[in-house]
Amino acid sequence: NAGVTQTPKFRILKIGQSMTLQCTQDMNHNYMYWYRQDPGMGLKLIYYSVGAGITDKGEVPNGYNVSRSTTEDFPLRLELAAPSQTSVYFCASSLLSGANVLTFGAGSRLTVL
Amino acid sequence: TQLLEQSPQFLSIQEGENLTVYCNSSSVFSSLQWYRQEPGEGPVLLVTVVTGGEVKKLKRLTFQFGDARKDSSLHITAAQPGDTGLYLCAGETGGFKTIFGAGTRLFVKA
């Protein structure tokens, strides 16, 4: 079982460039999430999705966009990269059966210079 | 704004010592999770607590959920170098939204 797979693992962007972080899960989870993790700040929710075709903003959505065309895939797009978007990004999914237990990917480290 | 505060932020101890990590909030949570994260990896679930006052044990780790479901603690007995990592508490606020504490970074020296 692959679980949650994120690509790329590392990426360096120049200010103003665009890119997409890919996330796919093979557990048939309806709920998917994107978090960013900054040093000493914990994980902040960027966007989430409750199923294919349905997405909504989290705590820090500015500068990002998402789509959910299938149950498996939940890509995160950065349109105009800014230094403030330098962070480690984690995709997660959950089944929401009882308590909401998240399964995380290994993360994508993004640096914007 | 709902916040989860973890303390201490950093802990460095010798192998064999005991330790307790705390997670506090002014909000009530329907459930609370503890995750452990190693460098270069995503957080991995250790335990979920749901009922106020609940105590769960996982080998040398003991987790407690406060009676009012606003706080939790993680106690490690006889810490080992393999316990080294970032410990995150996460509170479920109802529905499916989860908020995370900033974490406690634990280093256990051999």
Side-chain angles (χ1 to χ4, degrees):
Chain A
N1 256 351
V4 178
T5 302
Q6 290 182 235
T7 56
K9 186 77 171 172
F10 303 95
R11 183 74 187 268
I12 298 175
L13 282 180
K14 293 183 179 179
I15 294 172
Q17 286 186 321
S18 301
M19 76 157 298
T20 298
L21 299 177
Q22 302 291 344
C23 176
T24 186
Q25 53 95 4
D26 62 359
M27 298 171 287
N28 204 31
H29 286 174
N30 282 331
Y31 294 79
M32 295 189 74
Y33 314 82
W34 274 105
Y35 286 89
R36 59 177 287 171
Q37 186 176 37
D38 300 305
M41 298 295 291
L43 289 150
K44 301 292 186 184
L45 182 63
I46 305 171
Y47 269 95
Y48 64 92
S49 169
V50 302
I54 306 170
T55 63
D56 208 346
K57 296 177 181 179
E59 188 180 356
V60 290
N62 291 343
Y64 307 95
N65 276 302
V66 294
S67 60
R68 185 95 182 270
S69 57
T70 67
T71 299
E72 295 79 19
D73 300 308
F74 191 42
L76 177 71
R77 179 126 182 111
L78 286 72
E79 291 293 347
L80 291 170
S84 61
Q85 293 177 304
T86 294
S87 188
V88 181
Y89 292 85
F90 288 97
C91 179
S93 70
S94 68
L95 185 58
L96 199 62
S97 174
N100 194 28
V101 172
L102 303 178
T103 301
F104 285 88
S108 298
R109 182 177 292 275
L110 175 67
T111 301
V112 182
L113 301 175
Chain B
T1 303
Q2 295 167 313
L3 292 173
L4 266 175
E5 296 185 353
Q6 286 189 242
S7 61
Q9 288 184 314
F10 182 79
L11 195 54
S12 180
I13 61 172
Q14 289 292 140
E15 181 177 4
E17 292 184 358
N18 301 332
L19 67 117
T20 302
V21 174
Y22 300 92
C23 177
N24 296 293
S25 177
S26 58
S27 302
V28 176
F29 296 104
S30 55
S31 72
L32 192 140
Q33 289 81 42
W34 284 91
Y35 293 82
R36 180 166 157 248
Q37 184 179 17
E38 299 194 26
E41 299 294 330
V44 175
L45 180 74
L46 293 174
V47 78
T48 295
V49 286
V50 178
T51 305
E54 182 176 3
V55 176
K56 280 192 174 179
K57 291 192 174 184
L58 184 66
K59 296 183 181 179
R60 295 177 293 100
L61 279 60
T62 302
F63 305 86
Q64 185 163 8
F65 201 14
D67 290 341
R69 306 205 319 274
K70 294 181 179 182
D71 54 84
S72 181
S73 64
L74 158 60
H75 181 80
I76 301 179
T77 303
Q80 298 177 0
D83 296 327
T84 293
L86 180 67
Y87 290 82
L88 295 161
C89 67
E92 186 181 346
T93 60
F96 49 86
K97 291 186 181 179
T98 299
I99 62 169
F100 283 81
T104 293
R105 190 166 297 280
L106 172 65
F107 182 67
V108 182
K109 294 175 281 188

